[in-house]
Amino acid sequence: MIVLDRAPALGPLLALGAARSPFKRPGAGASFPRTHLVLPGVRPDLEKLAAYERVCGFATGEDGLPVTYPHVLGFPLAMRLMSAREFPLPLLGLVHTSIEIERQAVLPAGGTYDIAVHVEELRPHRRGTEAVVVTGVRVGEDVVWESRSTYLARHRTPHSGETVREEPGPPLPVVEEWRIAGDVGRRYGAASGDRNPIHLYPFTARLFGFPRAIAHGMWTVARCLAAHGVPTAALVRAEFRAPVLLPGTVEYAAADGRFRLRSGDRVHVTGSVRPRVAR
């Protein structure tokens, strides 16, 4: 366990991870850092929180943190682990494929929290290798919020040529159509600290093979959850299936605790929200 006295800066970590990426050798059997990073005494910056609420569509001025906001608080620790020399997957090209969040209670915006992050496992994927990163938020000895994110490094596998036919789920009624502005990536980046070039401008996104800037995956799920609503104690699951190009128009569909974000036949995000019994 390593206890930090401040949150790492994301910009230098992104640069360091990019520089080390060509030397990484991904594989599900590779060793990975077992370190648990802990950052105690975290108090959310209320100005940045308000900016996050505005860009994601949450009500501003609420006492509780949005259900996705602890991910923002823990992300610098996750980036420190994933940019480390010992982490076997290259940071460049690493794709956030899913997140599962379990919240026990609404976290007060003015609270103080201990945040811990570790890599739980590497596992094979049809398209490469996935890392599972766990972020936990504690108040005293109680875990009040925990997430599991999967990050995929694409590389050749024995199953690389195979195609998997995904059975479509039951159709969901369209609730709203959203016209997403071209500056959403820059606004979310300013609020969250995640200024990955693929989200900022068309010319920086084209350097990485995208025709235009793309929305942060965590912005898309936060925007969906702001529209859907989340019970006090809840289990949230979301899968990121395709990027949202900026600017763009998407349809938000939801029913029976499930939601989906799509444009035409292209599905960007699918997810669900289920109430839990608080422990």
Side-chain angles (χ1 to χ4, degrees), residues 195-207:
R195 293 182 172 89
N196 188 319
I198 63 176
H199 304 303
L200 302 181
Y201 299 97
F203 74 92
T204 56
R206 281 195 290 270
L207 295 174

Side-chain angles (χ1 to χ4, degrees), residues 148-259:
R148 276 174 170 75
S149 282
T150 58
Y151 295 91
L152 172 66
R154 293 190 177 97
H155 59 85
R156 291 190 62 82
T157 74
H159 308 287
S160 292
E162 297 180 4
T163 59
V164 176
R165 182 178 179 180
E166 296 184 2
E167 293 297 327
L172 298 176
V174 174
V175 178
E176 295 177 323
E177 183 179 86
W178 297 337
R179 300 183 67 180
I180 306 173
D183 67 346
V184 158
R186 297 191 293 277
R187 291 171 56 209
Y188 183 86
S192 68
D194 182 359
R195 293 182 172 89
N196 188 319
I198 63 176
H199 304 303
L200 302 181
Y201 299 97
F203 74 92
T204 56
R206 281 195 290 270
L207 295 174
F208 299 91
F210 296 97
R212 304 198 299 273
I214 64 172
H216 295 72
M218 284 304 299
W219 176 85
T220 61
V221 70
R223 183 68 186 88
C224 289
L225 293 171
H228 187 281
V230 180
T232 296
L235 178 65
V236 174
R237 292 191 174 100
E239 293 186 6
F240 307 109
R241 295 178 175 268
V244 175
L245 295 175
L246 301 174
T249 301
V250 295
E251 294 177 336
Y252 166 71
D256 302 323
R258 296 182 298 119
F259 60 86

Side-chain angles (χ1 to χ4, degrees), residues 33-171:
R34 309 294 175 134
T35 306
H36 288 233
L37 295 180
V38 178
L39 182 62
V42 176
R43 293 181 61 86
D45 182 313
L46 297 183
E47 186 175 338
K48 291 182 179 178
L49 172 60
Y52 177 91
E53 291 170 334
R54 286 192 295 270
V55 72
C56 295
F58 292 103
T60 58
E62 297 286 336
D63 179 58
L65 297 178
V67 67
T68 47
Y69 196 70
H71 174 86
V72 173
L73 299 177
F75 189 61
L77 281 69
M79 278 290 291
R80 175 164 162 171
L81 291 175
M82 292 189 291
S83 62
R85 190 185 310 274
E86 300 78 16
F87 187 72
L89 307 186
L91 194 62
L92 282 183
L94 202 62
V95 180
H96 194 183
T97 51
S98 73
I99 187 168
E100 178 180 289
I101 297 170
E102 186 169 9
R103 182 174 73 174
Q104 300 299 324
V106 175
L107 282 60
T112 301
Y113 306 101
D114 296 340
I115 299 175
V117 179
H118 69 279
V119 180
E120 185 174 68
E121 64 172 328
L122 298 183
R123 61 193 187 194
H125 185 278
R126 179 175 58 87
R127 295 181 177 177
T129 301
E130 276 188 334
V132 180
V133 179
V134 178
T135 301
V137 178
R138 289 180 179 269
V139 175
E141 297 300 316
D142 298 324
V143 177
V144 293
W145 186 101
E146 188 173 72
S147 74
R148 276 174 170 75
S149 282
T150 58
Y151 295 91
L152 172 66
R154 293 190 177 97
H155 59 85
R156 291 190 62 82
T157 74
H159 308 287
S160 292
E162 297 180 4
T163 59
V164 176
R165 182 178 179 180
E166 296 184 2
E167 293 297 327

